[in-house]
Amino acid sequence: MDLSEARENAKEKMKGFCGIYKVCDGLPDRLCQGIKYGKAIGMGGIGKGLSFAANVEALDRIKLKTRLITPHIEPDTKASFVGKEVAFPIFCTSMSGVKISMGGGVSELDFARSVIQGAKQAGTLSFIGDGAETFEDRPGVQAIREAGGWGIQIFKPREQKVVLRLIQEAEKAGAVAVGVDVDGAGSVPMAMKGQPVFRKSITELRELVQSTSLPFIIKGITSEEDALAALETGCKVVSISNHGGRTLDSMRGVADILPRLVRILKGKVTITADGGVRTGFDVIKLLALGANFVMVGRDMIRAALGGGAEAVRLELDFLSKDLRKAMIMTSCNSVAEISDRIFA
Amino acid sequence: MDLSEARENAKEKMKGFCGIYKVCDGLPDRLCQGIKYGKAIGMGGIGKGLSFAANVEALDRIKLKTRLITPHIEPDTKASFVGKEVAFPIFCTSMSGVKISMGGGVSELDFARSVIQGAKQAGTLSFIGDGAETFEDRPGVQAIREAGGWGIQIFKPREQKVVLRLIQEAEKAGAVAVGVDVDGAGSVPMAMKGQPVFRKSITELRELVQSTSLPFIIKGITSEEDALAALETGCKVVSISNHGGRTLDSMRGVADILPRLVRILKGKVTITADGGVRTGFDVIKLLALGANFVMVGRDMIRAALGGGAEAVRLELDFLSKDLRKAMIMTSCNSVAEISDRIFA
Amino acid sequence: MDLSEARENAKEKMKGFCGIYKVCDGLPDRLCQGIKYGKAIGMGGIGKGLSFAANVEALDRIKLKTRLITPHIEPDTKASFVGKEVAFPIFCTSMSGVKISMGGGVSELDFARSVIQGAKQAGTLSFIGDGAETFEDRPGVQAIREAGGWGIQIFKPREQKVVLRLIQEAEKAGAVAVGVDVDGAGSVPMAMKGQPVFRKSITELRELVQSTSLPFIIKGITSEEDALAALETGCKVVSISNHGGRTLDSMRGVADILPRLVRILKGKVTITADGGVRTGFDVIKLLALGANFVMVGRDMIRAALGGGAEAVRLELDFLSKDLRKAMIMTSCNSVAEISDRIFA
Amino acid sequence: MDLSEARENAKEKMKGFCGIYKVCDGLPDRLCQGIKYGKAIGMGGIGKGLSFAANVEALDRIKLKTRLITPHIEPDTKASFVGKEVAFPIFCTSMSGVKISMGGGVSELDFARSVIQGAKQAGTLSFIGDGAETFEDRPGVQAIREAGGWGIQIFKPREQKVVLRLIQEAEKAGAVAVGVDVDGAGSVPMAMKGQPVFRKSITELRELVQSTSLPFIIKGITSEEDALAALETGCKVVSISNHGGRTLDSMRGVADILPRLVRILKGKVTITADGGVRTGFDVIKLLALGANFVMVGRDMIRAALGGGAEAVRLELDFLSKDLRKAMIMTSCNSVAEISDRIFA
């Protein structure tokens, strides 16, 4: 199997839902934009899908330049996440909701296994999400347990006592880290299924942070106000993300907002960023803007549905190869050397 | 019936006229743009339809940001219009001309009933327009009377004595408010049907305002000069609108001009805004720019033609649900808390 | 016949050449862009057709605003060109080359008659061009003679002695004015047909101006340097034009360059402007930027080929009606009142 | 044969690979963009093809103006490259990899002959590249030898000793000049075929420069840092190029970066520029920005595959004719007179 075949398989499973475009960009004429009036765009996002498209557009707007007359050194892509070494700073982001958001071509558990195992095989890590449909089964927790804990669990901002209990489960599964995506607060499907979600105060988040020995992640931050608030909770990781444009329409692209959030967070917490990443060149851009780790969503879904863990591994290989190539072309010999000096 | 079905019905009734696109945006390749050379674009607007497209584009350009680390409070969408409480600050705008502008799929009276009744069922209000075709029948006035007065009548800027008489009729029907769309002054179909329309001076408008006990609305303001003039007439409501791009080509999008008009009008009159609103996210943007109420046109026509009052109610529900969601994601607990601090 | 029928006829005559789009805008996916590699785009322009597209785009970028709370006065569109009164300040621009540039659906003489007579019937004037194909027949001069002199002849910048002779012919035909389009200097078809064209010095142009009693027009000015030079020749009219994008690729749109040329020329010569005008709203924009007269090319070709003089008249009526409407909406009661205060 | 026929032939040979669009612009809906996921876009470039598209877009953004009221002088397009006179300052750029990058319709040697001979017939010069597939055959060197040395050889940045040996071969073939494209450093196909490529230090490049009596070219510079470094190597020519967008995604268009590199290099080395050039108008833009010579890639491939040397010559004629025309329209009587004063 190669990546291209995996995507052909995915085409079948995501029929009428995702066109498996070479570049998934949210342009107005895409298949996913045609989904039923009044419904979210398939995998695409809320409202008109403008947040989703903005992620891609903001990345495309960033310009790189080559630096080629230098001594040649083979680039080193290794990085360390909350003390764990990974082969490159690229993760699968937290995803869930196979039935609602991905066409239903696999079970939630199989999806979780694909991204967790695929990332493990590639020498890196995957986040995994938490959804309404399969809440009782805890597919993410189970997939992490099966991987000997080599995964990261993100929970929805449910009732405080529920989240506290879930964190304990993830801890028992040996997860590398655990967290909450605070931008799940407006989810209608959650509320409709009797699993209400909420904004969380600093006090509430601090309680969650202090309830576990695992490094705690707050995911879904896009404003300076929230970045400052996150720092007060004692969390170890902040994930800059607009949830792939699925929670609020018309947000800025992540590449646009990242620099001002980096100014607040840099050196105090580990920063991840996701949103619109399609290539290794997108990865180096977000790293150069100050992210410590870059996460990928939609292309991982297409890979997981089309070819399971193997395709997820191939997808991560594809991204890391182009990251490596971009490092050669810009004379960045290690991840630490990637900075805004590569911008043109 | 759901909204998606209603729109499928509308597709039949608006054949060759409106493509019932998921997002009605006035892009150059749309069906409505292909209507006969020398004629107005169907529902779309005058000239090249640039004012229409600008409405959508100006809204899309506005960027929002989330504010999620705060105590959770359920948002309250209620608002009060000239003393009447409504469930949310979203109205149907004044429309008329079913035969000329909407493909003729229903009668003018049925259309008026759909928007007036649909809005009433949703707990909010509808404006209704006045056209040349059915002037003698006064379909708007009749629909408002049938709704026990729960509607707002806007008349064309006809001869002064005619408007004075019409205002009396609306008053007798028990309308919530009454007004004139001054941007009807250039209407060729009106003139051709022996119903000339005119620009109105401050003196003339003041005479209209003083002729009635109802709150008076001046609709169709897009310049600072006209906003200042409107304040001198004694009107209670100013409606910022470019008539959906149907009166002058190449106007700015309403979201672009709104802030400078709000600076003039805020606190002195109630401000409504319409133009290009397709989602609840568009609604929150115009509210954040300073409008007190946001009105919707084209999607209400598609709803009314496809599913009558019920679909109009569903359309308003759809918009208000996304408004509520946007308020959760931006930590706006009431309509009064919606301000430009939600912009990114 | 109406304008829409005329354009349907033109579709036949311009097959494979012009798609008779409702708005002729030079976008990359247009039929005319697909014409043979290495050849000029049909009617469209040289190179990639960027000058042509820029004309349209520059006009579209200009924004207008309404001014509606004023006393109503019916607008007066009359204007005076070199002492001759016309019903409105809209002309057909100078065109020629039916065989090369318009698909060859009519004879050069019939084309000249259509625009000259159509403009006359509409109460206004037409320029007419001069081409290589039918140089010996002088179709423009003949059409002007047949119209009792009610037309304006523009010649290519041929050898000085040839132009001098041609000017005498136009004078004998009783033309309203005569001139040279200096931007014909790079024409390859002319040179290939043994009719070389040249840039003209101030001295040479002054000789042409002084050789005739007719008002002299220099057409094809787009730079401040050339505008200043034109003033030194003693000409009466300067025509700001990029020849519809047919002479040099990547020029600015005429609406973009017009203001800085108006600063040089205003009050010293009569200024005409053409390039990308499709509607009466485009006309009012160029007038507001400082042109005294606005000229139209491509839509006149489509009209002339599809319906002769009658369709040209209808096209001019269409444009003047929308100009009138735009004047009502912006409270411009006469052409003299049209100024940049209508810009939003 | 004319150019249009040659391109029709090329269509067959480049099926599924290149759509032979009239203007090759890298827009997202182009055939070449649809090539297998995870693979480079055919001829198009790496990643999303953004560097490629940026080349075209940056050129399109530059605006020219006419200068027509001047004495007429026939323009002289001649230029001198490292002491050799050419009819016009337009070259074929270095290309190679017929099998991988051009659909494989001809042999590498025939391709090299087409561009070298076609340029010679047109009175100008061609660069020729070096690829992994046919490394042993040295097709470029052979084609140059056959042309009596009338060609320029560019090698990949291979191991130092290999490049030193290759330079000697080119010198023996009598090449006009020789060089290295330093932006080949990240090539994965090269590495996979046991022909590793490297960034080169100033010291290494200086060694190459000093190893030969031929003028030495460093190709692939896009940053000020590299331009300054190139000056320290003693090379005679610097080629500003982003390799047609094939080496790093999201680079700026060459027309965007050229001016700041010209500031560093002007008068010290000969400057060539390539990237997105499709017409003679593109050529004059890059010359006006400070390049001494302009090179063309993709359209030369289409010509060479469709019609061999003859079509390459026709392509160069087409470009030089429009350059000449542009010089007439802007009053540039020689190449030396082309400067930024032609910008609007």
Side-chain angles (χ1 to χ4, degrees):
Chain A
M1 180 172 57
D2 72 7
L3 215 37
S4 188
E5 284 166 43
R7 289 171 72 99
E8 282 306 309
N9 293 344
K11 214 167 197 167
E12 264 315 298
K13 294 208 174 138
M14 302 178 89
K15 221 168 199 171
F17 192 76
C18 169
I20 316 285
Y21 301 102
K22 185 163 177 183
V23 177
C24 167
D25 54 15
L27 292 183
D29 57 343
R30 298 313 189 206
L31 186 148
C32 57
Q33 294 272 1
I35 284 174
K36 267 184 98 171
Y37 182 81
K39 299 294 170 198
I41 296 159
M43 290 216 311
I46 201 164
K48 298 183 185 175
L50 296 171
S51 300
F52 164 34
N55 281 341
V56 176
E57 188 271 331
L59 278 164
D60 286 358
R61 222 185 314 115
I62 294 172
K63 298 295 184 185
L64 305 176
K65 70 180 173 191
T66 52
R67 181 71 176 97
L68 293 159
I69 307 186
T70 67
H72 190 90
I73 297 170
E74 285 299 309
D76 177 3
T77 61
K78 282 196 296 298
S80 169
F81 182 76
V82 295
K84 313 286 185 186
E85 182 168 284
V86 290
F88 43 78
I90 311 173
F91 293 172
C92 306
T93 192
S94 61
M95 296 171 282
S96 66
V98 165
K99 216 168 182 178
I100 292 180
S101 310
M102 308 178 198
V106 298
S107 77
E108 195 80 24
L109 180 58
D110 280 344
F111 175 75
R113 283 168 175 154
S114 294
V115 290
I116 296 278
Q117 296 289 346
K120 189 171 181 179
Q121 289 166 26
T124 188
L125 274 162
S126 179
F127 280 41
I128 186 73
D130 151 39
E133 289 285 342
T134 54
F135 172 59
E136 292 308 323
D137 303 330
R138 318 280 204 264
V141 173
Q142 189 175 331
I144 290 174
R145 192 183 307 114
E146 290 173 10
W150 192 253
I152 296 153
Q153 176 73 57
I154 302 293
F155 294 111
K156 286 266 173 306
R158 302 163 178 275
E159 285 177 84
Q160 192 73 352
K161 67 179 180 193
V162 178
V163 181
L164 283 166
R165 190 171 4 110
L166 289 168
I167 289 172
Q168 293 312 311
E169 294 186 23
E171 197 170 325
K172 263 181 258 165
V176 167
V178 71
V180 163
D181 48 355
V182 289
D183 56 349
S187 173
V188 176
M190 295 295 295
M192 279 168 61
K193 282 172 182 126
Q195 300 177 38
V197 280
F198 307 93
R199 292 196 303 265
K200 294 282 176 188
S201 66
I202 292 174
T203 313
E204 288 167 314
L205 287 170
R206 197 184 290 138
E207 183 187 25
L208 300 179
V209 169
Q210 292 175 348
S211 77
T212 177
S213 60
L214 295 179
F216 194 87
I217 300 163
I218 298 181
K219 184 163 177 287
I221 300 303
T222 70
S223 65
E224 288 162 287
E225 295 88 335
D226 277 346
L228 287 164
L231 286 182
E232 293 191 45
T233 66
C235 69
K236 285 281 177 293
V237 182
V238 170
S239 290
I240 312 303
S241 169
N242 63 21
H243 216 107
R246 302 180 55 78
T247 58
L248 178 70
D249 205 8
S250 276
M251 297 177 78
R252 284 198 187 280
V254 162
D256 267 351
I257 52 169
L258 185 56
R260 64 185 98 159
L261 302 184
V262 165
R263 268 195 295 277
I264 293 168
L265 300 169
K266 193 81 185 178
K268 294 174 184 150
V269 291
T270 295
I271 303 168
T272 80
D274 64 72
V277 175
R278 301 288 176 265
T279 70
F281 306 99
D282 290 335
V283 171
I284 203 171
K285 288 175 185 178
L286 291 181
L287 294 175
L289 290 172
N292 302 114
F293 293 84
V294 174
M295 305 207 291
V296 181
R298 284 179 180 82
D299 276 329
M300 293 302 167
I301 294 173
R302 284 181 278 260
L305 265 71
E310 186 187 350
V312 168
R313 179 182 62 73
L314 288 171
E315 184 73 48
L316 286 161
D317 285 349
F318 164 64
L319 294 167
S320 61
K321 263 180 203 155
D322 272 351
L323 168 62
R324 195 181 157 283
K325 179 167 185 139
M327 291 172 72
I328 294 177
M329 295 301 290
T330 56
S331 285
C332 294
N333 298 320
S334 68
V335 173
E337 287 185 29
I338 298 171
S339 74
D340 60 10
R341 71 153 179 82
I342 72 173
F343 296 146
Chain B
M1 181 173 56
D2 72 8
L3 215 38
S4 188
E5 285 166 44
R7 289 173 70 100
E8 282 305 309
N9 293 343
K11 214 167 196 166
E12 264 315 299
K13 295 207 173 138
M14 303 180 87
K15 220 169 199 171
F17 192 77
C18 169
I20 315 285
Y21 301 101
K22 185 163 179 183
V23 177
C24 166
D25 53 16
L27 292 184
D29 57 343
R30 298 313 188 205
L31 186 147
C32 56
Q33 293 272 2
I35 284 174
K36 266 182 97 171
Y37 181 80
K39 300 292 170 200
I41 297 159
M43 290 216 311
I46 201 164
K48 298 184 186 174
L50 296 171
S51 300
F52 164 35
N55 281 340
V56 176
E57 188 271 330
L59 278 164
D60 286 359
R61 222 186 313 116
I62 295 172
K63 298 296 184 184
L64 305 176
K65 71 180 173 190
T66 51
R67 181 70 177 98
L68 293 159
I69 307 186
T70 67
H72 190 91
I73 298 170
E74 285 300 309
D76 176 3
T77 60
K78 280 196 297 298
S80 169
F81 181 78
V82 297
K84 312 286 184 187
E85 182 168 283
V86 290
F88 42 78
I90 311 173
F91 292 171
C92 306
T93 192
S94 61
M95 295 170 283
S96 67
V98 165
K99 217 169 182 178
I100 291 180
S101 311
M102 310 178 198
V106 298
S107 76
E108 194 80 24
L109 180 59
D110 279 346
F111 175 75
R113 282 168 174 153
S114 294
V115 291
I116 296 277
Q117 295 290 345
K120 189 172 180 177
Q121 288 166 27
T124 188
L125 274 161
S126 179
F127 280 40
I128 187 73
D130 151 39
E133 289 285 340
T134 54
F135 173 59
E136 292 309 322
D137 302 331
R138 318 280 205 263
V141 173
Q142 188 175 331
I144 290 173
R145 192 185 305 114
E146 290 174 11
W150 192 252
I152 296 153
Q153 176 73 56
I154 302 293
F155 295 111
K156 286 265 173 309
R158 301 162 179 275
E159 285 176 85
Q160 193 73 353
K161 66 180 180 193
V162 177
V163 181
L164 285 166
R165 189 170 5 107
L166 289 168
I167 290 172
Q168 293 311 310
E169 293 186 24
E171 195 170 327
K172 264 181 258 168
V176 167
V178 71
V180 162
D181 48 356
V182 289
D183 56 348
S187 173
V188 177
M190 295 295 295
M192 280 168 62
K193 282 172 182 125
Q195 300 178 37
V197 280
F198 307 92
R199 293 197 301 266
K200 293 282 177 189
S201 66
I202 293 174
T203 313
E204 287 167 315
L205 287 170
R206 197 183 290 136
E207 183 187 25
L208 300 179
V209 169
Q210 293 175 349
S211 77
T212 177
S213 61
L214 295 179
F216 194 87
I217 300 162
I218 297 181
K219 184 164 176 286
I221 300 303
T222 70
S223 65
E224 289 163 285
E225 296 88 335
D226 277 346
L228 288 163
L231 287 182
E232 293 190 45
T233 67
C235 69
K236 285 280 178 293
V237 182
V238 170
S239 290
I240 312 303
S241 170
N242 64 20
H243 216 107
R246 302 179 55 79
T247 59
L248 178 70
D249 205 8
S250 276
M251 298 177 77
R252 283 198 188 281
V254 161
D256 266 350
I257 52 169
L258 186 55
R260 63 185 99 159
L261 302 183
V262 164
R263 269 195 293 277
I264 293 168
L265 300 169
K266 194 83 185 177
K268 294 173 184 152
V269 291
T270 294
I271 303 168
T272 81
D274 64 73
V277 174
R278 301 289 175 264
T279 69
F281 306 100
D282 290 334
V283 171
I284 203 171
K285 288 175 185 177
L286 292 181
L287 295 174
L289 290 171
N292 302 114
F293 292 85
V294 173
M295 305 206 292
V296 180
R298 285 180 178 81
D299 276 330
M300 293 302 168
I301 294 173
R302 283 180 278 260
L305 265 71
E310 186 186 351
V312 169
R313 179 183 60 74
L314 288 171
E315 184 73 47
L316 286 160
D317 285 351
F318 164 63
L319 294 167
S320 62
K321 263 179 203 156
D322 273 351
L323 168 62
R324 194 181 158 281
K325 178 166 187 142
M327 291 171 71
I328 294 177
M329 295 300 290
T330 55
S331 284
C332 295
N333 298 319
S334 68
V335 172
E337 287 185 29
I338 298 170
S339 74
D340 60 10
R341 72 154 179 80
I342 71 173
F343 296 147
Chain C
M1 180 172 56
D2 72 7
L3 215 38
S4 189
E5 285 166 44
R7 288 173 70 100
E8 281 306 309
N9 292 345
K11 214 167 196 166
E12 264 315 300
K13 295 206 175 139
M14 304 180 87
K15 222 169 196 171
F17 193 75
C18 169
I20 315 286
Y21 300 101
K22 186 166 178 180
V23 177
C24 166
D25 53 16
L27 292 183
D29 57 343
R30 297 315 188 202
L31 186 148
C32 56
Q33 294 272 3
I35 284 175
K36 266 182 98 170
Y37 181 81
K39 301 292 170 198
I41 296 158
M43 290 216 311
I46 200 164
K48 298 183 185 173
L50 296 170
S51 300
F52 164 35
N55 280 341
V56 176
E57 187 272 330
L59 279 164
D60 286 358
R61 221 186 314 116
I62 294 172
K63 298 296 185 186
L64 304 176
K65 71 180 173 192
T66 51
R67 181 71 177 96
L68 294 159
I69 308 186
T70 67
H72 190 90
I73 298 170
E74 285 300 308
D76 177 4
T77 60
K78 281 197 295 298
S80 170
F81 181 77
V82 296
K84 314 284 184 189
E85 182 168 283
V86 290
F88 43 78
I90 311 173
F91 293 172
C92 305
T93 192
S94 61
M95 296 172 280
S96 67
V98 165
K99 216 169 181 179
I100 292 181
S101 310
M102 309 178 197
V106 297
S107 76
E108 194 80 25
L109 180 59
D110 279 345
F111 176 75
R113 282 168 175 153
S114 293
V115 291
I116 296 277
Q117 295 289 346
K120 190 172 181 178
Q121 288 167 26
T124 188
L125 273 161
S126 180
F127 281 40
I128 187 72
D130 151 39
E133 290 284 340
T134 54
F135 173 58
E136 292 309 322
D137 303 331
R138 319 281 206 262
V141 173
Q142 189 175 329
I144 290 174
R145 192 184 307 113
E146 289 173 11
W150 192 253
I152 296 153
Q153 176 72 56
I154 302 292
F155 294 111
K156 286 264 173 309
R158 301 162 179 276
E159 285 176 85
Q160 193 73 352
K161 65 179 180 193
V162 178
V163 181
L164 284 165
R165 187 167 11 104
L166 289 168
I167 289 173
Q168 292 311 311
E169 293 187 23
E171 195 169 328
K172 264 181 258 168
V176 167
V178 70
V180 162
D181 47 354
V182 289
D183 57 348
S187 174
V188 176
M190 295 295 295
M192 280 169 60
K193 281 171 183 125
Q195 301 178 36
V197 281
F198 306 94
R199 292 197 302 265
K200 294 282 176 189
S201 67
I202 292 175
T203 313
E204 287 167 314
L205 287 170
R206 197 183 289 137
E207 183 188 25
L208 300 179
V209 170
Q210 292 175 349
S211 76
T212 177
S213 60
L214 294 179
F216 194 88
I217 300 162
I218 297 181
K219 185 163 176 287
I221 300 303
T222 70
S223 64
E224 289 163 288
E225 295 88 336
D226 276 347
L228 287 163
L231 286 182
E232 292 191 46
T233 66
C235 69
K236 284 281 177 293
V237 181
V238 170
S239 290
I240 313 303
S241 170
N242 64 20
H243 216 108
R246 301 180 56 78
T247 59
L248 178 69
D249 205 8
S250 276
M251 298 177 77
R252 283 197 188 281
V254 161
D256 266 351
I257 51 169
L258 186 55
R260 63 185 99 158
L261 302 183
V262 164
R263 269 195 293 276
I264 292 169
L265 300 170
K266 193 83 185 177
K268 294 174 184 150
V269 290
T270 294
I271 303 169
T272 80
D274 63 73
V277 174
R278 301 290 174 265
T279 69
F281 306 100
D282 290 334
V283 171
I284 203 170
K285 288 176 185 177
L286 291 181
L287 295 175
L289 290 172
N292 302 115
F293 292 85
V294 174
M295 306 206 290
V296 180
R298 285 180 179 81
D299 276 329
M300 293 302 166
I301 294 174
R302 284 180 278 261
L305 265 71
E310 186 187 349
V312 169
R313 179 182 61 74
L314 288 171
E315 185 73 48
L316 285 161
D317 286 350
F318 164 63
L319 294 167
S320 62
K321 262 179 202 155
D322 272 351
L323 168 62
R324 195 180 158 282
K325 181 170 183 137
M327 291 171 71
I328 294 177
M329 296 300 290
T330 57
S331 284
C332 295
N333 298 319
S334 68
V335 173
E337 287 185 29
I338 298 170
S339 74
D340 60 10
R341 71 154 180 80
I342 71 173
F343 297 146
Chain D
M1 180 173 58
D2 71 7
L3 215 38
S4 188
E5 285 166 43
R7 289 172 71 100
E8 281 306 309
N9 292 344
K11 214 167 197 166
E12 263 314 299
K13 294 207 175 138
M14 302 179 87
K15 221 169 197 171
F17 192 76
C18 169
I20 316 284
Y21 301 102
K22 186 165 177 181
V23 177
C24 167
D25 53 15
L27 293 183
D29 57 344
R30 297 315 188 202
L31 186 148
C32 57
Q33 294 272 1
I35 284 174
K36 265 184 100 170
Y37 181 81
K39 301 293 171 197
I41 297 159
M43 291 217 310
I46 201 165
K48 297 183 185 174
L50 296 171
S51 299
F52 164 35
N55 281 341
V56 176
E57 188 271 329
L59 278 164
D60 286 359
R61 222 186 313 116
I62 294 172
K63 298 295 184 186
L64 304 176
K65 70 180 173 190
T66 52
R67 181 71 177 97
L68 293 159
I69 307 187
T70 66
H72 190 90
I73 298 170
E74 286 299 309
D76 176 3
T77 60
K78 282 196 296 298
S80 168
F81 182 77
V82 296
K84 313 286 184 187
E85 182 168 282
V86 290
F88 43 78
I90 312 173
F91 293 171
C92 305
T93 192
S94 60
M95 295 171 281
S96 66
V98 165
K99 216 168 181 180
I100 292 180
S101 310
M102 309 178 197
V106 297
S107 76
E108 195 79 25
L109 180 59
D110 279 345
F111 175 75
R113 283 168 175 153
S114 294
V115 291
I116 295 278
Q117 295 290 345
K120 189 172 181 179
Q121 288 166 27
T124 188
L125 274 161
S126 179
F127 280 40
I128 186 72
D130 151 40
E133 289 284 342
T134 54
F135 172 59
E136 292 308 323
D137 302 330
R138 319 281 205 264
V141 172
Q142 188 175 331
I144 290 175
R145 192 184 307 115
E146 290 172 11
W150 193 253
I152 295 153
Q153 176 72 57
I154 301 293
F155 295 111
K156 286 265 173 307
R158 301 163 179 274
E159 286 177 84
Q160 193 73 352
K161 64 179 181 192
V162 178
V163 181
L164 284 166
R165 189 171 4 109
L166 289 168
I167 289 173
Q168 292 312 310
E169 294 187 23
E171 195 170 327
K172 263 181 258 168
V176 166
V178 71
V180 162
D181 47 355
V182 289
D183 56 348
S187 173
V188 176
M190 295 294 295
M192 280 168 61
K193 282 171 183 123
Q195 300 177 37
V197 280
F198 307 93
R199 291 197 303 264
K200 293 281 177 190
S201 66
I202 293 174
T203 313
E204 288 167 314
L205 287 170
R206 197 183 289 139
E207 183 187 25
L208 299 179
V209 169
Q210 293 175 347
S211 77
T212 177
S213 59
L214 295 179
F216 194 87
I217 300 163
I218 297 180
K219 185 163 176 286
I221 299 304
T222 70
S223 65
E224 288 163 287
E225 295 88 336
D226 277 347
L228 287 164
L231 287 182
E232 294 191 44
T233 66
C235 68
K236 284 280 177 294
V237 181
V238 170
S239 291
I240 312 303
S241 169
N242 63 22
H243 216 107
R246 301 180 56 78
T247 59
L248 178 69
D249 205 9
S250 276
M251 298 176 77
R252 284 198 186 279
V254 161
D256 266 352
I257 51 169
L258 186 55
R260 63 184 99 159
L261 302 184
V262 165
R263 268 195 295 277
I264 293 169
L265 300 170
K266 193 82 184 178
K268 294 175 184 149
V269 291
T270 294
I271 303 168
T272 79
D274 64 73
V277 174
R278 301 288 176 266
T279 69
F281 306 100
D282 290 334
V283 171
I284 203 171
K285 288 175 184 177
L286 291 181
L287 294 175
L289 289 171
N292 302 115
F293 292 84
V294 173
M295 306 207 290
V296 180
R298 285 180 179 81
D299 276 329
M300 293 303 167
I301 295 174
R302 285 180 278 260
L305 265 70
E310 187 186 350
V312 168
R313 178 182 62 74
L314 288 171
E315 185 72 48
L316 285 162
D317 285 350
F318 164 64
L319 294 167
S320 62
K321 264 179 202 156
D322 272 351
L323 169 62
R324 194 179 158 284
K325 181 170 184 138
M327 290 171 73
I328 294 177
M329 296 301 290
T330 56
S331 284
C332 294
N333 298 319
S334 68
V335 172
E337 287 185 28
I338 298 171
S339 74
D340 61 9
R341 72 154 179 81
I342 71 173
F343 297 146

